[in-house]
Amino acid sequence: MSELVNGRGLSLVPKTDAKQTLKDFKSDQEVRWCPGCGDYAILAAVQSFLPELGLRRENIVFVSGIGCSSRFPYYLNTYGFHSIHGRAPAIATGLAASRPDLSVWVITGDGDALSIGGNHLIHALRRNVNLNILLFNNRIYGLTKGQYSPTSEVGKITKSTPMGSLDKPFNPMSLAIGAEASFVARTIDSDRKHLQSVLREAAAHRGTSLVEIYQNCNIFNDDAFQPLKDPEVRDDITIRLEHGQPIASASKAVVRGARGGIEVVPRASVGEEQILVHDAHDPDPSVAFALSRLDEPAFEHVPIGIFRSVDRPSYESLMSDQLDAAAQRQGAGDLGELLMGGDTWRIN
């Protein structure tokens, strides 16, 4: 049995003894995205990763909102729920809180999660519900044909901003860390090895995990993340975050700043002992938050990996403790008696 299934986030989910493969998680539905969409790569990575969990497919649920990414549940041979715009975290919260035997995944996009769904997202994060949120970020509204989104850069010219966007974009990593999320990570659609390594850690985590996935929309925002894929520059600008390892790219390093913060300097200008070592488990979120700001201005240096992974009680476990305590004090209760008790009126 894989060590992954013993992760705290999956400890209550029933396992299967049957050997599973990618084919077991493919549904009979035709996959329909625009040719070349990054969603194909993410779907393939998820379908090939799920067998590693060793879980019963009947105990895996994918909940989505509205958007291109939200077609995901149709293409997985698990349970799924294609919900309404921005409300996937709320529906997933109900599932995770009432059914601790489920592995619950939320599929959302930058528009779905950060505009109409922003309130639901931040409260799922702060509550630390045991679910995994995959946020596909292509910095555009794709399903509605190319309007600017909450993550589009300032000056972005789209159908809804013909003179350029005036909005400062959301930074999903900063938002999540500010909301006290216990697991925050970023990866990219075209790097399957890295994407799957992050998914493994997210699945094993007990509480809410938010994974931002840079995803290319080749129709309405093509090459939005091209520098991270260009072999000539990607190793210089990509700062891979690995717990216990120096925070650096091929040519740049993160060090403590003169005023107590962090800064990026040429790697050759400092000794290895001066490079900041990544501590994803630090209970103080200040360094993780500072790391989330390093990609501003965009693509001079971009952190990829797990920014933060800390332990704190999950929402549904705290709720279960409260229910047990109430039952011990007051008995199991009777729903029918509750509904008919107190002030009631009969209308003839």
Side-chain angles (χ1 to χ4, degrees), residues 34-39 68 110-111 136-159 161 165 169 188-189 212-227 229 298-299:
C34 299
C37 175
D39 288 356
C68 296
D110 48 305
F136 297 20
N137 183 7
N138 54 24
R139 295 184 170 178
I140 202 75
Y141 277 104
L143 187 66
T144 50
K145 307 299 185 284
Q147 298 81 11
Y148 83 115
S149 84
T151 56
S152 296
E153 61 272 26
V154 174
K156 183 72 174 179
I157 296 176
T158 71
K159 294 176 181 179
T161 54
S165 170
I188 189 165
D189 59 1
E212 178 189 23
I213 305 174
Y214 282 161
Q215 176 256 325
N216 191 49
C217 175
N218 59 312
I219 302 299
F220 297 109
N221 200 24
D222 196 21
D223 291 339
F225 307 108
Q226 185 57 29
K229 303 179 182 184
F299 299 128

Side-chain angles (χ1 to χ4, degrees), residues 21-29 31 43-44 47 57 74-78:
T21 67
L22 179 150
K23 290 183 179 179
D24 293 312
F25 289 92
K26 286 186 175 181
S27 75
D28 60 358
Q29 299 298 300
V31 181
L43 175 63
Q47 287 173 328
R57 285 180 295 132
Y74 295 109
Y75 308 140
L76 290 164
N77 194 18
T78 63

Side-chain angles (χ1 to χ4, degrees), residues 122 125-126 171-182 184 210 285-286 288-290 292-293 308 312:
I122 61 174
L125 295 173
R126 75 175 180 90
N171 181 320
M173 298 291 90
S174 299
L175 181 72
I177 295 168
E180 297 290 342
S182 59
V184 182
L210 177 73
S286 57
F289 186 84
S292 75
R293 313 303 293 174
R308 192 169 193 240
R312 63 183 178 91

Side-chain angles (χ1 to χ4, degrees), residues 96-98 100 128-130 206-207 314-321:
S98 61
N128 203 37
V129 186
N130 190 35
R206 183 74 180 180
S314 62
Y315 181 83
E316 72 288 343
S317 63
L318 294 174
M319 185 184 75
S320 179
D321 291 344

Side-chain angles (χ1 to χ4, degrees), residues 45 48-49 63-64 74 78 93 98 109 129 160 164 244 262-263 279 284:
S48 59
F49 151 76
V63 183
S64 66
Y74 295 109
T78 63
T93 293
S98 61
V129 186
S160 56
I262 64 173
E263 59 181 315
D279 183 4
D284 182 352

Side-chain angles (χ1 to χ4, degrees), residues 115-134:
S115 56
I116 192 170
N119 194 48
H120 295 287
L121 176 68
I122 61 174
H123 290 298
L125 295 173
R126 75 175 180 90
R127 287 173 177 144
N128 203 37
V129 186
N130 190 35
L131 51 85
N132 309 290
I133 302 173
L134 306 186

